[in-house]
Amino acid sequence: MWRFILSALIIWAGLHAYVFWRLGSIPLVARHLSPLRRWLLAALLWASFPLARWLTHRHLDALGVPLEFAANIWMGTLFLLFSTLLALEPLTLGGWLFRRAIPTLRTTAIAVALTLAGSALVQGLRAPTIQAEEITLPGLPPALDGLTLATISDLHLGTTHHEAWLRARIDQLHTLQADAILVVGDLVDSDVRRVEPLLPILKTLHAPLGVWAVYGNHDTFGGGERTAELIRAAGFRLLRDECAPLAPGLTLAGVDDLGLRRHTAADAVTRTLSGRPAGDGATILLSHTPMAAETAATHGAQLMLSGHTHAGQLWPFGELVRLVHPLFHGRYNVAGMQVYVSRGAGTWGPPMRLWQPGEIVLLRLRTGHPMPGTAQAQ
């Protein structure tokens, strides 16, 4: 853990160093900030995030929570500043070409980054949209034709998203009048202690066939077994590498986050699906991280529901995420099994989204053969 934290702080420092180095070549900045003041500002901004986490760790939430919110916005803004300025380097060969135009080009890059940051903040604070999908499941009993499942992932409660935001999401879910609600990981962001006061609100979430949940990676970071206790206290059925009947002829299987056990992910999926009830019917696998899909298809799942990727959340970070998770967002067909990867309802880190808002997915299940037209996974 300490190695990861140290690496993150070094990368964080490197982003600041590059951006503030390039800011020094802009006349407007140079006129108002001496080099000493510029680097002092960079140091203060670098310290904002670890200081906020230190304050909240010390239970000084009155100072730490608003500082962390501001630091997260700065994190997203810095990433966009870094990306737009870096995009100029090949064009100018690191500043050797077009020297007279470089201040103008870099000023333009900063203006573009700040405009994108403002747009992303507005988009990130908007309510998630409702994405309606009709999924045909082989083996689904005719009596369950038309069954609806409201799927929500990546709420990341406790850092950016608090009481009012959670109430609004529960209202959205109840408006859908789904037969069951599936919470596909990352209910908690980084500290379950911040989410425990929200337990009375979480208890209001209900559906005729229940509220079901699986662990995401942040649920583990946020408190491990304490998070499991919170989820169960809310009245959710937590599936931890196990199967359970949702309705006669329809089984839910759920696995703890596979990304934290990457090398044994396929084994975990195999063991979990081996516990399915004998006989005909359909099986839906809930897996926060979209991994081991081919294994799930091989072992009898007809549908896999995931989140985790946030569809990249901020450009161009999404292109890096896509390299790690080819099942990136939307519908796919993997070896005959359908997969839906949600953008998630909330945000991680910066409360910002660029290009696409968060989403809650309403699935309507149909009997019969798989529907054509879904994207083929590579």
Side-chain angles (χ1 to χ4, degrees), residues 193-204:
R193 178 181 59 86
R194 299 193 206 175
V195 185
E196 286 170 340
L198 303 178
L199 179 59
I201 303 173
L202 287 169
K203 285 182 174 181
T204 67

Side-chain angles (χ1 to χ4, degrees), residues 29-54:
V29 175
R31 280 197 300 269
H32 291 86
L33 285 177
S34 67
L36 177 60
R37 290 180 177 179
R38 179 160 40 93
W39 290 113
L40 282 175
L41 177 61
L44 287 172
L45 290 169
W46 173 86
S48 62
F49 189 78
L51 176 60
R53 284 299 179 94
W54 182 84

Side-chain angles (χ1 to χ4, degrees), residues 14-338:
L15 293 176
H16 281 84
Y18 173 77
V19 168
F20 278 82
W21 171 46
R22 286 314 194 197
L23 284 176
S25 66
I26 296 174
L28 180 65
V29 175
R31 280 197 300 269
H32 291 86
L33 285 177
S34 67
L36 177 60
R37 290 180 177 179
R38 179 160 40 93
W39 290 113
L40 282 175
L41 177 61
L44 287 172
L45 290 169
W46 173 86
S48 62
F49 189 78
L51 176 60
R53 284 299 179 94
W54 182 84
L55 288 170
T56 54
H57 184 70
R58 295 286 180 175
H59 306 299
L60 299 171
D61 289 2
L63 295 173
V65 171
L67 179 58
E68 186 169 353
F69 182 75
N72 276 324
I73 293 175
W74 168 242
M75 180 190 296
T77 303
L78 179 68
F79 184 74
L80 290 168
L81 286 167
F82 173 81
S83 300
T84 53
L85 287 168
L86 188 66
L88 290 178
E89 303 294 0
L91 176 65
T92 64
L93 292 183
W96 287 98
L97 293 180
F98 312 115
R99 292 192 179 187
R100 291 184 179 180
I102 282 175
T104 301
L105 289 172
R106 288 179 180 160
T107 300
T108 302
I110 290 168
V112 169
L114 294 178
T115 300
L116 291 176
S119 174
L121 182 59
V122 170
Q123 187 76 277
L125 295 177
R126 285 179 54 196
T129 60
I130 304 299
Q131 177 67 32
E133 297 282 339
E134 192 165 281
I135 302 283
T136 302
L137 291 186
L140 185 71
L144 298 182
D145 186 73
L147 188 82
T148 54
L149 307 175
T151 302
I152 188 168
S153 71
D154 300 281
L155 285 90
H156 290 278
L157 297 174
T159 300
T160 300
H161 307 302
H162 300 283
E163 181 177 343
W165 188 87
L166 176 59
R167 287 188 188 276
R169 300 295 73 75
I170 290 176
D171 288 344
Q172 271 189 295
L173 288 166
H174 286 165
T175 299
L176 299 177
Q177 298 183 320
D179 295 299
I181 295 172
L182 312 178
V183 183
V184 192
D186 281 2
L187 177 73
V188 171
D189 184 48
S190 62
D191 187 351
V192 69
R193 178 181 59 86
R194 299 193 206 175
V195 185
E196 286 170 340
L198 303 178
L199 179 59
I201 303 173
L202 287 169
K203 285 182 174 181
T204 67
L205 185 60
H206 60 86
L209 296 181
V211 180
W212 302 73
V214 292
Y215 250 22
N217 54 316
H218 281 260
D219 295 311
T220 300
F221 302 154
E225 289 303 320
R226 193 166 170 179
T227 299
E229 292 172 7
L230 172 74
I231 292 172
R232 293 187 177 111
F236 303 177
R237 172 67 188 274
L238 180 62
L239 295 174
R240 303 196 64 183
D241 293 354
E242 59 185 311
C243 296
L246 178 64
L250 179 59
T251 297
L252 283 184
V255 290
D256 283 0
D257 182 64
L258 298 176
L260 297 179
R261 43 182 178 166
R262 186 173 299 271
H263 299 298
T264 60
D267 292 339
V269 170
T270 299
R271 287 195 306 272
T272 300
L273 291 176
S274 296
R276 289 183 302 139
D280 296 333
T283 300
I284 300 173
L285 174 65
L286 309 183
S287 171
H288 176 68
T289 301
M291 295 177 61
E294 290 188 0
T295 301
T298 300
H299 288 84
Q302 286 78 40
L303 173 64
M304 177 173 164
L305 301 176
S306 298
H308 184 64
T309 68
H310 292 229
Q313 193 167 312
L314 273 180
W315 172 90
F317 188 67
E319 301 311 311
L320 301 177
V321 176
R322 197 188 297 268
L323 291 176
V324 178
H325 298 293
L327 301 178
F328 178 66
H329 166 247
R331 288 179 67 167
Y332 299 87
N333 187 301
V334 177
M337 178 188 72
Q338 296 183 81

Side-chain angles (χ1 to χ4, degrees), residues 335-351:
M337 178 188 72
Q338 296 183 81
V339 179
Y340 193 94
V341 182
S342 171
R343 292 192 298 266
T347 54
W348 171 77

